[in-house]
Amino acid sequence: KEMRRVCQVAKRASGRSRRVKYQCNRPSGSRSIGSWSIWKGWPGTRKTTEMTSTELLNKFFKVSPTRWAVRGVIVGGLAGLYYWFITSPQQGPIWDLYFEKLDQYKNWNGRVSQMWLPSEGSLGMEAKPYTLVIHDEVISQSSWSIYQGSIVKKRPGLAYLLSRLGRDFEIVLFSSQGGYHIPYLDRLDPDRRCAMKLTNEYMTSVRGRDIINLDYSNRPLSRVIVLDSDYRNVSHKENVILLDAYNGDDADDGLAKLGAFFRVIEETHPADIRKAVQIYQEFGLDKFQTPQDEERLRKHRERRQN
């Protein structure tokens, strides 16, 4: 009677007849732990059978060999797609078409296809001989804590570098995150020495990778330097100075070492700064450091360690 009442209520709630193929209910008043009452059929019928828990599991989980074969094909296909997308060299006409469509979508959806910087001397901006583009991952590390919230850790020497280079360099901070990352960039430059702070909306997608396209900088490439951790993040390799991403070490001296390079730039004022960058890429800082620079670096390390 209870089963009939439940089925009638379900029928009135759904507004149509619903067939219940299997429905399990422990028999009332039964002391058997492994016995179940199985009711099947149309609502209102009284066909019941008794079976053990083992028989019940076999009935519901019994699968034919054909179904196992189909499942094997599906799992194998998914594994093959994973290998093809993740571990393959991603070369060939299919991948070229995929990346072409992906780049078209990313560059069209929310990207700014215009120059980052205004013309020199416009909008009251002081014209400076060089432009320095800095990727935020080489000068800071961000983390989040449930107790402290967002934590921003600056690379040692960042404040001194920005104050020193602000005289001859137009500084642009770049982040590969979205527009919500602007407050984070403001915390890196509280004195507002940077001319612009830009996010991935000003980047260009190339084969699915967001890069800093210097063609949109509105500045001659002979006067642009980029601080980044990977050549692939920038459209022009000859303008890149590689610097390891900051890992949060308080004794880090990566920016302090670059002081010698920028000192030479300030003293010589080369017409094409890419020549100095090429020397740095081939020989490192050995061609730029002087005994005074080495002594300054030693004092910096001692100060950070203490």
Side-chain angles (χ1 to χ4, degrees):
K1 291 181 180 180
E2 184 67 16
M3 185 66 68
R4 189 183 307 142
R5 187 182 67 81
V6 172
C7 292
Q8 290 175 355
V9 172
K11 180 179 179 181
R12 287 196 299 268
S14 62
R16 58 187 178 85
S17 178
R18 180 178 297 174
R19 180 171 182 176
V20 183
K21 189 173 183 180
Y22 294 103
Q23 185 166 343
C24 303
N25 185 24
R26 186 178 293 277
S28 59
S30 175
R31 296 183 180 179
S32 174
I33 297 178
S35 177
W36 294 78
S37 177
I38 306 301
W39 175 89
K40 56 185 178 179
W42 291 93
T45 61
R46 299 182 179 177
K47 296 180 181 180
T48 60
T49 58
E50 294 287 337
M51 63 175 61
T52 62
S53 299
T54 304
E55 294 174 347
L56 178 66
L57 293 176
N58 292 335
K59 187 175 185 64
F60 278 93
F61 293 97
K62 183 179 179 181
V63 181
S64 64
T66 304
R67 292 185 179 181
W68 279 114
V70 172
R71 293 179 182 180
V73 171
I74 294 175
V75 172
L78 293 176
L81 289 176
Y82 173 81
Y83 173 81
W84 187 60
F85 273 98
I86 304 300
T87 63
S88 66
Q90 299 183 356
Q91 300 292 335
I94 298 180
W95 279 107
D96 293 341
L97 179 61
Y98 166 76
F99 283 123
E100 179 184 356
K101 298 301 180 183
L102 180 60
D103 294 340
Q104 288 179 359
Y105 171 76
K106 294 179 68 175
N107 293 329
W108 170 80
N109 185 24
R111 295 301 172 92
V112 180
S113 57
Q114 61 184 14
M115 299 298 178
W116 318 331
L117 298 170
S119 301
E120 293 181 295
S122 63
L123 301 179
M125 297 179 62
E126 180 183 359
K128 297 183 179 180
Y130 303 109
T131 300
L132 175 63
V133 181
I134 306 177
H135 201 169
D136 65 334
E137 67 178 13
V138 303
I139 60 173
S140 64
Q141 184 188 53
S142 62
S143 59
W144 188 87
S145 172
I146 191 173
Y147 300 105
Q148 300 178 358
S150 177
I151 303 174
V152 178
K153 197 169 186 179
K154 301 179 184 179
R155 195 165 195 160
L158 175 61
Y160 174 75
L161 182 71
L162 295 180
S163 62
R164 176 181 175 180
L165 300 183
R167 298 188 297 266
D168 294 328
F169 285 85
E170 185 180 32
I171 303 176
V172 180
L173 284 184
F174 243 108
S175 174
S176 56
Q177 305 296 324
Y180 59 87
H181 218 58
I182 291 294
Y184 170 78
L185 297 179
D186 291 335
R187 296 172 66 179
L188 298 179
D189 179 35
D191 298 330
R192 300 186 179 277
R193 299 182 183 275
C194 299
M196 298 289 289
K197 300 179 181 70
L198 306 176
T199 59
N200 62 356
E201 297 174 352
Y202 290 85
M203 288 184 170
T204 303
S205 178
V206 177
R207 291 187 68 83
R209 187 186 189 94
D210 292 337
I211 68 170
I212 300 175
N213 193 346
L214 298 183
D215 293 331
Y216 289 97
S217 64
N218 201 23
R219 296 293 184 269
L221 296 181
S222 59
R223 296 189 293 152
V224 178
I225 298 179
V226 182
L227 285 183
D228 210 315
S229 60
D230 194 338
Y231 286 123
R232 296 176 299 175
N233 295 336
V234 187
S235 59
H236 296 74
K237 176 182 176 181
E238 60 273 12
N239 294 82
V240 180
I241 292 181
L242 285 184
L243 186 63
D244 295 336
Y246 182 47
N247 58 4
D249 185 10
D250 293 333
D252 184 272
D253 58 357
L255 293 180
K257 291 179 179 179
L258 288 178
F261 173 82
F262 288 110
R263 177 187 55 78
V264 174
I265 298 299
E266 292 173 348
E267 293 176 355
T268 59
H269 283 84
D272 191 346
I273 203 170
R274 291 174 293 186
K275 296 180 179 179
V277 174
Q278 182 180 4
I279 296 175
Y280 175 85
Q281 293 176 353
E282 293 180 358
F283 303 101
L285 290 172
D286 296 337
K287 296 292 184 179
F288 301 95
Q289 281 185 335
T290 62
Q292 292 79 5
D293 294 323
E294 295 178 357
E295 179 66 19
R296 190 182 302 110
L297 182 60
R298 185 185 63 81
K299 293 181 179 179
H300 170 81
R301 291 172 178 170
E302 293 178 352
R303 185 170 57 253
R304 298 306 302 181
Q305 291 176 356
N306 296 332

